[in-house]
Amino acid sequence: MRISIDEHVCIGAGQCALTSPQVFTQDEDGFGAVLTGREDGAGDPLVKEAARACPVQAITVDG
Ligand code: SF4
């Protein structure tokens, strides 16, 4: 699994960090970010749920 966030699409809604806090966080400006070393999803079953929860589909989950 490989997770990425399109920073040009993200509006900083924070749903990803709320849904899967083991993988996602928000940067100092409030935009979504993948925690360092968790780009593979860290085995968290909530990653796909977090991608679905993003209101602007900024999160891509491959694999
Ligand atoms: S849920 Fe989507 S819009 Fe909100 S912070 Fe995460 S990536 Fe950005």
Side-chain angles (χ1 to χ4, degrees):
M1 181 183 284
R2 179 85 194 165
I3 305 164
S4 59
I5 295 177
D6 187 336
E7 61 196 38
H8 300 295
V9 175
C10 173
I11 57 171
Q15 289 302 318
C16 52
L18 284 173
T19 304
S20 176
Q22 292 188 58
V23 174
F24 296 96
T25 187
Q26 286 177 278
D27 68 17
E28 58 269 25
D29 296 318
F31 291 103
V34 180
L35 288 163
T36 303
R38 304 279 169 86
E39 294 87 353
D40 63 353
D44 185 350
L46 292 173
V47 165
K48 290 186 176 175
E49 187 62 38
R52 271 195 294 272
C54 176
V56 291
Q57 286 85 51
I59 302 170
T60 301
V61 179
D62 291 319

